[in-house]
Amino acid sequence: MTAHSGRKTDPTELSSRLQRLMFVRVLIVSVLLGASVFVQVRKTSTYFGDIQTSHYVLIGCVYFLTFIYIVMLKRLRNLHRLAYAQLLIDTFLITAFIYTTGGIESFFSFLYILTIIEASMLLYRRGGLIVASSSSILYGALLDLHYYRLITPYGALMNPPSDDQGSYILFRILVHTAAFYLVAMLSSYLSEQIRTSRDELEA
């Protein structure tokens, strides 16, 4: 671990990065909302129509949380706690989105990686690893619950997972967990190197 990995980001810089994070988050959900409206207007199929309500609820939650974040950004002194809270809540929202798009069948698990990269850029190695852990636990729990038929994700096209898919589910969980931690380590290392180079130039 480098000497910089334990240092905290300057409050002014962190505030700027949090504002960027909120903008990117709203932009992504706005694109999803636009896609949802487009699909609903065209009435492609009942399948898509069924999952739109849950999508709108998630998008509304993101807009509402963004408003809360803006208020807290102006009032809180410890912005690192706000950063951790935002990123961890993002992992829950992503899990909910995967739940509404098929669970095991959903291909939106890559959204976890975007959050992990942002955590590594904002909070360096510790933040990246914490968000990677949260993503691994939530994604693994979601797939396990789907496999054991304790939940039935919206939008699932195939029949409930069969018993002989256990090895496949375990493989997916292990691969995603390894990918999450690998991304956290690499992105935090790159972020720390950039910060070290910048500090040396300033010195």
Side-chain angles (χ1 to χ4, degrees):
M1 183 178 292
T2 65
H4 293 272
S5 60
R7 292 171 50 185
K8 291 186 176 181
T9 311
D10 178 74
T12 302
E13 179 184 357
L14 182 57
S15 176
S16 177
R17 291 185 178 185
L18 283 174
Q19 292 178 38
R20 182 191 64 189
L21 173 62
M22 289 186 285
F23 172 77
V24 171
R25 184 187 298 113
V26 169
L27 178 63
I28 291 175
V29 298
S30 297
V31 171
L32 291 176
L33 175 61
S36 298
V37 171
F38 175 76
V39 170
Q40 255 193 351
V41 168
R42 294 193 60 179
K43 297 181 180 178
T44 305
S45 67
T46 305
Y47 162 66
F48 285 105
D50 288 341
I51 65 173
Q52 295 312 308
T53 299
S54 56
H55 280 182
Y56 290 136
V57 171
L58 286 174
I59 290 169
C61 287
V62 172
Y63 286 147
F64 175 74
L65 287 171
T66 300
F67 173 75
I68 299 298
Y69 294 154
I70 292 173
V71 174
M72 296 178 68
L73 186 64
K74 296 179 179 180
R75 297 185 178 183
L76 284 182
R77 294 184 178 180
N78 192 335
L79 295 182
H80 285 84
R81 292 183 180 178
L82 177 60
Y84 276 111
Q86 286 196 40
L87 292 164
L88 290 175
I89 290 174
D90 282 347
T91 62
F92 280 91
L93 291 173
I94 292 170
T95 305
F97 185 66
I98 293 175
Y99 174 81
T100 65
T101 53
I104 293 174
E105 303 170 35
S106 177
F107 56 86
F108 287 103
S109 55
F110 72 89
L111 293 175
Y112 286 119
I113 292 179
L114 300 180
T115 304
I116 293 169
I117 293 175
E118 192 62 45
S120 299
M121 299 300 292
L122 281 172
L123 303 165
Y124 301 99
R125 185 170 303 180
R126 182 181 179 184
L129 291 176
I130 289 176
V131 174
S133 299
S134 176
S135 301
S136 301
I137 293 171
L138 292 173
Y139 186 68
L142 177 65
L143 264 59
D144 281 339
L145 292 173
H146 188 185
Y147 172 70
Y148 288 109
R149 301 177 179 85
L150 297 176
I151 60 173
T152 303
Y154 300 134
L157 291 175
M158 65 180 184
N159 295 325
S162 58
D163 294 336
D164 59 359
Q165 286 185 300
S167 298
Y168 169 71
I169 302 301
L170 178 60
F171 176 75
R172 277 189 72 111
I173 293 174
L174 292 177
V175 168
H176 278 79
T177 299
F180 293 159
Y181 281 104
L182 181 60
V183 169
M185 294 296 293
L186 292 178
S187 57
S188 62
Y189 174 78
L190 177 61
S191 180
E192 289 166 5
Q193 291 301 309
I194 292 174
R195 179 172 181 171
T196 300
S197 299
R198 184 184 59 194
D199 290 347
E200 291 176 351
L201 287 174
E202 291 177 353

